[in-house]
Amino acid sequence: MFQRFISKQLARPSGLFGRLFTARWLEKANAGMNRLTIEGLALGAHDRLLEVGFGSGCLLEMVLANNLCSSIAGVDVSREMIQHVSGRLRRYIEEGKAEIRYGDIESLPYGNGEFSKLCSVNTLYFWHDPRVALAECLRVLGVGGRLTLCFNAKADLAQWPGHVYGFTLYELSQVEEMLAAAGFSAIEVMSRNDPGQGLYYCVTGTAA
């Protein structure tokens, strides 16, 4: 029961547990993945970044605090995380540099070509239909826009018993093939291996 509960919290943090525990745990656990994702995005002063499934908001805050791009937006399916991150980034929201919305990667609440960079960390396992999700990513990115996905290696994540509750695990080659099939080119891969997360990948593609 506990493994099932934690798996649901990781997919969609909710309630008091989501606010007080899941957000803090995600920030600590995803620290290395967030740093590698920012490296993969190769942000510039004129970029507009969208993060899908922003969790605690740590990655977005790092980008804003270091002035890595012109503005950011975040979309998440968790109302608790939206409330949490809206408070965390209040100053940037009031300055017009940040926007936080409810939304799902398979139906992004933005128009065509609104972003030059898009990222998502540790959410791939929960996508209902990766083809639809990647088509949406391609739609909201302008031509030449950059998508970066960060996720745990299948063999490592499969060792955690909770993965059987709602996770779909992917080999690196499967993710590369999915991006190519969706219309992304110049696909690049970076990887890291650390004690907390094990082996993880950041796969980056350019919107054609």
Side-chain angles (χ1 to χ4, degrees):
M1 289 294 293
F2 180 72
Q3 296 286 2
R4 184 191 297 270
F5 173 75
I6 293 298
S7 298
K8 289 183 177 180
Q9 282 289 321
L10 294 177
R12 189 189 298 248
S14 61
L16 185 63
F17 188 90
R19 292 194 299 272
L20 297 182
F21 175 79
T22 309
R24 296 175 183 176
W25 184 86
L26 285 172
E27 183 157 335
K28 182 177 180 181
N30 290 348
M33 301 180 88
N34 286 335
R35 289 192 294 269
L36 188 62
T37 298
I38 290 173
E39 181 181 339
L41 286 168
L43 293 165
H46 300 293
D47 281 323
R48 177 163 164 76
L49 169 68
L50 173 64
E51 182 179 13
V52 182
F54 48 72
S56 73
C58 181
L59 183 149
L60 294 176
E61 186 174 49
M62 284 194 291
V63 170
L64 289 163
N66 290 283
N67 295 310
L68 298 182
C69 65
S70 65
S71 64
I72 65 91
V75 168
D76 206 289
V77 296
S78 168
R79 300 288 187 185
E80 281 76 9
M81 292 301 97
I82 290 169
Q83 182 179 9
H84 171 74
V85 175
S86 294
R88 179 174 188 165
L89 303 183
R90 185 180 308 279
R91 174 168 68 90
Y92 299 104
I93 293 171
E94 291 173 350
E95 293 173 353
K97 296 179 180 178
E99 180 179 84
I100 300 299
R101 290 190 187 183
Y102 176 85
D104 186 271
I105 195 164
E106 294 180 17
S107 183
L108 293 170
Y110 290 100
N112 297 348
E114 287 198 37
F115 299 93
S116 56
K117 303 290 173 72
L118 191 157
C119 68
S120 195
V121 178
N122 265 342
T123 70
L124 173 62
Y125 333 108
F126 310 119
W127 296 359
H128 298 295
D129 190 333
R131 291 174 298 178
V132 174
L134 289 171
E136 276 291 272
C137 292
L138 191 70
R139 181 183 66 79
V140 300
L141 283 169
V143 174
R146 194 172 178 92
L147 168 68
T148 298
L149 302 178
C150 198
F151 58 98
N152 287 106
K154 181 176 181 178
D156 283 15
L157 193 53
Q159 295 180 35
W160 176 55
H163 83 272
V164 300
Y165 302 111
F167 283 67
T168 299
L169 309 187
Y170 296 92
E171 298 286 0
L172 172 61
S173 59
Q174 290 177 288
V175 178
E176 292 178 284
E177 289 167 4
M178 286 192 300
L179 263 66
F184 289 92
S185 61
I187 296 170
E188 303 171 358
V189 178
M190 297 189 297
S191 65
R192 296 287 188 277
N193 199 332
D194 63 52
Q197 281 282 11
L199 177 63
Y200 54 88
Y201 303 105
C202 272
V203 179
T204 297
T206 301

